[in-house]
Structure formats: structure tokens, C-alpha cells
Amino acid sequence: MTVLQCALVCLLLLTHGALAEAPRVPIIYSSDLYHPPADPDDHFDTAVLFAMPEFDIRCVILDNGKGRQVEPGVKAEFRQRIGRAPLEQLMHITGRKVKYAPGLPAALTSTSDKGLEQPPEHQKGVEMMLAELRASEQKVTLFLNGSCRDFAAAFNREPELFQQKVKAIYCNAGIVVDKGAVSQIDYNVELDPAAFFRLFETGVPLYWCSTRPKMSERAPGGPYSTNFWIHEQRIIRAGSPQVENFFIYCLTSSQEDPLKFLDSGFQKIPMARAFAGDGGRFIWCTAPFCHAAGRSIYRQGIADFHALQPAEAERLGIAANKVELFDFVPAQVKTKEPLKSLEIEVKGAPADSMVKVFHRPVTDTDYRSVMESVLANLAAELGRKPQTP
Ligand SMILES: [Ca+2]
């Protein structure tokens, strides 16, 4: 190889490296992740968090919405449910090391409750989160898909730090419609209504991701709902043998050693929840995660869609195949009835509204099929690329 050829190769490698290197996104994640699972959708969501190397996961709060492990009289089996096993498995698969701790076990008594009267052993989640915010030189994204309790308690304890260091909150809880008063009758809201309502008062940009209505063959999800329906087998079998076993450990509520199980070889996937004559599962957070990471959706084949950083799409030559599948639009949100309902106005809301709602300008069918492909490709990527811890 001549000197010129060497220089060209070096230049190509450098350019490639620069394009492939996505900006890192500091993130604090709160999920009601349990083993055995309450609903395995949280396992799929947490897998997506770990599948995106650009997420610099500062810490994970194991949301304790129902306070299961401290309720008197609760069976030992439930006390042990909190999601240590899936987190340790995902760290093992990706080679990352992430701090985690359980959240507060009881609902906030008012929107200004700091949760300081709750048991000392359950203060670790909020304290860990505040310590991470204090130490961070960059603004941090917060992302939740369980109760809003620990984020709200953190804001109530140190509002100035919160406003200074939090870039945005992605809240996967509650219900959005175009216009009108909306009762927030939703699982994640009902875990802690005061905490949910508090997130609209922090002064920090709120990316509000509506959990309902659920998409189904009989009832469309609607333009503000993030959820989509998957063929579970398609997602699970897209992954490496370790990733397949991560999901199967969850779905079988296995009591075997979580890390050894990852290398236990081929396992049958148990039957998915039957729905409209087909087995599947609802998934909520994939699109909000793509948005938080700065990824967009691109078509690579007839039915093959990937969530990629724009620079990566450029490198792959598919930047022109970008699909406008979802966005966030400004919304005006006011309390209608405290802790119960919100007055929402999407059309005509000022562009600089602190609240932006997830929105998808495509049909339910298009959204569902594209997102299923995106999720399968993310499952395929999980743990394949070397990641920075
Ligand atoms: Ca959840």
C-alpha cells in the first residue's frame, strides 16, 4: 500500500468513526420492572433502552408503584419481584454497568409531598437520582414508564437543581385527546395521581406520551397513542441466543440463576397472550425512546425499518428513505379537576408550550407494522456492538 493509499484508508476510517459516533444522551430511567413480571412490556422497553448505545444511562429507578415489597402480609414471592434480575441480565448482555435502586413505596400525599416520611431503605432511588443530577455537567433526560412518584419527589425536594439539570421528562402515563376535559383514568396515573399532576408544574419540558386508547384490530389506537401490537415471536427470535433467553426468562417467570439462564441454549417461547385470534403483546415506549435518543425511522427494505441516528442513515445511504412516523406537538394543558382530569388543547397551542404530546400522522396499521419492524431490529442490535459502560 502506498503512503497515499494509507492516508486515504485512515481518512475513511476517521470519517466513518465520526459519522458512526452518535452524541451521547444522559438519561435517568424509571420503570416498574419486576421479576416475575407484572406486565412483560417493561422488559421489552428496558431492552430498547440498553439497545441504544448513545444512551448514557446514569441510573435506573426500580419504580415501586404499588409498594409490593413492603406491604405487610405480602407473600415473599412478591417481595422479591423488583427488577434486579432483568437489569443484571441486560448489563451482562451489553457489558454495561448501571446503578439502580428501588423507588418510594407509597403514593405522594399531595403534589408538593417530598416523600421524606417514607421508609429510609426506600429513599435510595430519589437520593441516587438527585446525586446524579448534581454531579452531571450536562442536562439529563428523564424517562418513566411506571408511576411518576420518584421524579415528582425529586422535583419537590430540589426544584432549582431539577430545573437546572433536567433537559426534558418523557412521561409514559395518562391519556391525551385533541381537545376537552379528559379523566386521567390510566394504570400509571392511578399508581400516584399527585405525582402525575405534579409533572405538569416543574417548568421543565414535558414530552407526554399517551398510553391510551390501546390499539387493537377492533379499536384503533388513535393519533396520540404510542402503543402498538407485536407478534412476540418475531421480536424475541430477532435477538442473539442470550437476548432470546432474556425474554424467555421473563415470560416463564423462571427462578433459575438469571445470568446462567442467558447461556442455557435454545428454549421454547411460551404462548403469548391470545388476542383477536392471534398471540401478541402491546408495547408502549419504543417510539418515545427513539425520539429521546435523537433517532428517526428509515426504510431499508420493503418491510424493513430501522431507528437510526441521521448520520448513520447517511452512512448507510438510506437518509432519503426517512419515514415521518411520529412527532411531538405542542399542547396546552390545565388542571380541570385536581388529581382527576386535565383540560387539553392540542390544535392552536402555542409553539413554545412546555408540554408536547406524542402524535402520529399515519394510520394505525402503518404505525403498527413499521414499529414492529423497528423493534425487531433493535432486539437484533442489543448487545451486538461494543458499548461504553
Ligand atoms: Ca410499566
Side-chain angles (χ1 to χ4, degrees), residues 27-32 42 45-46 49 61 63 129 141-153 162 168-174 186-189 191-192 195-199 206-211 226 284-285 288-289 292:
I27 191 165
I28 293 176
Y29 176 62
S30 172
S31 176
D32 49 347
D42 292 303
D45 288 337
T46 309
L49 172 79
I61 293 177
D63 173 42
M129 176 182 169
T141 296
L142 308 186
F143 195 106
L144 71 84
N145 61 16
S147 88
C148 305
R149 185 176 303 152
D150 300 281
F151 289 178
F162 198 96
I169 306 167
Y170 284 78
C171 172
N172 292 274
D186 165 63
Y187 181 85
N188 287 347
V189 172
L191 290 171
D192 200 319
F196 170 75
F197 278 75
R198 187 55 154 171
L199 292 191
L206 183 69
Y207 288 93
W208 186 16
C209 310
S210 182
T211 60
T226 64
W284 275 265
C285 300
F289 269 130

Side-chain angles (χ1 to χ4, degrees), residues 153-230:
F155 170 71
N156 289 341
R157 289 181 197 191
E158 297 202 35
E160 280 163 26
L161 172 76
F162 198 96
Q163 285 166 343
Q164 199 190 345
K165 294 289 182 73
V166 176
K167 184 180 171 199
I169 306 167
Y170 284 78
C171 172
N172 292 274
I175 306 164
V176 176
V177 297
D178 272 9
K179 188 176 174 64
V182 188
S183 291
Q184 295 298 315
I185 302 167
D186 165 63
Y187 181 85
N188 287 347
V189 172
E190 288 174 343
L191 290 171
D192 200 319
F196 170 75
F197 278 75
R198 187 55 154 171
L199 292 191
F200 292 86
E201 301 170 344
T202 66
V204 167
L206 183 69
Y207 288 93
W208 186 16
C209 310
S210 182
T211 60
R212 282 171 203 268
K214 263 190 194 176
M215 175 187 290
S216 78
E217 288 164 31
R218 294 178 188 137
Y224 299 101
S225 176
T226 64
N227 80 83
F228 60 102
W229 182 86
I230 56 162

Side-chain angles (χ1 to χ4, degrees), residues 344-384:
I344 304 169
E345 182 153 5
V346 177
K347 291 176 183 119
D352 61 353
S353 297
M354 290 306 263
V355 180
K356 297 204 168 50
V357 294
F358 177 88
H359 169 250
R360 50 184 173 82
V362 295
T363 65
D364 292 320
T365 310
D366 283 350
Y367 179 71
R368 193 213 74 73
S369 50
V370 172
M371 285 314 297
E372 183 179 55
S373 171
V374 166
L375 181 56
N377 285 320
L378 285 167
E381 279 172 35
L382 182 58
R384 299 251 196 229

Side-chain angles (χ1 to χ4, degrees), residues 29-35 42-43 45-50 57 59-63 81-102 128 246 249-250 258-259 262 382:
Y29 176 62
S30 172
S31 176
D32 49 347
L33 185 66
Y34 294 100
H35 186 83
D42 292 303
H43 286 68
D45 288 337
T46 309
V48 168
L49 172 79
F50 277 81
I57 310 170
C59 63
V60 173
I61 293 177
L62 293 169
D63 173 42
R81 282 177 72 155
I82 204 102
R84 185 186 65 82
L87 272 186
E88 293 287 348
Q89 287 176 322
L90 287 169
M91 287 190 234
H92 184 78
I93 290 168
T94 57
R96 292 197 192 202
K97 195 82 195 123
V98 174
K99 286 179 216 163
Y100 61 92
M128 173 183 70
F246 161 75
Y249 187 84
C250 154
L259 298 189
L262 294 178
L382 182 58

Side-chain angles (χ1 to χ4, degrees), residues 3-152:
V3 174
L4 184 63
Q5 281 170 324
C6 267
L8 274 172
V9 167
C10 289
L11 186 66
L12 272 172
L13 285 171
L14 278 171
T15 317
H16 177 96
L19 284 176
E21 188 75 30
R24 300 209 84 201
V25 178
I27 191 165
I28 293 176
Y29 176 62
S30 172
S31 176
D32 49 347
L33 185 66
Y34 294 100
H35 186 83
D39 180 338
D41 66 322
D42 292 303
H43 286 68
F44 287 80
D45 288 337
T46 309
V48 168
L49 172 79
F50 277 81
M52 296 187 180
E54 62 268 48
F55 280 136
D56 173 7
I57 310 170
R58 295 292 171 87
C59 63
V60 173
I61 293 177
L62 293 169
D63 173 42
N64 196 6
K66 291 196 166 171
R68 281 193 166 112
Q69 76 270 47
V70 290
E71 273 173 28
V74 163
K75 287 184 197 161
E77 167 204 344
F78 288 103
R79 276 184 243 131
Q80 299 303 320
R81 282 177 72 155
I82 204 102
R84 185 186 65 82
L87 272 186
E88 293 287 348
Q89 287 176 322
L90 287 169
M91 287 190 234
H92 184 78
I93 290 168
T94 57
R96 292 197 192 202
K97 195 82 195 123
V98 174
K99 286 179 216 163
Y100 61 92
L104 297 168
L108 301 188
T109 53
S110 69
T111 55
S112 57
D113 184 8
K114 297 176 177 162
L116 289 166
E117 285 77 40
Q118 299 199 31
E121 65 272 27
H122 295 284
Q123 296 291 339
K124 285 185 194 140
V126 182
E127 285 170 4
M128 173 183 70
M129 176 182 169
L130 288 169
E132 286 299 321
L133 290 180
R134 252 178 248 121
S136 184
E137 286 175 9
Q138 294 163 275
K139 286 197 169 194
V140 179
T141 296
L142 308 186
F143 195 106
L144 71 84
N145 61 16
S147 88
C148 305
R149 185 176 303 152
D150 300 281
F151 289 178

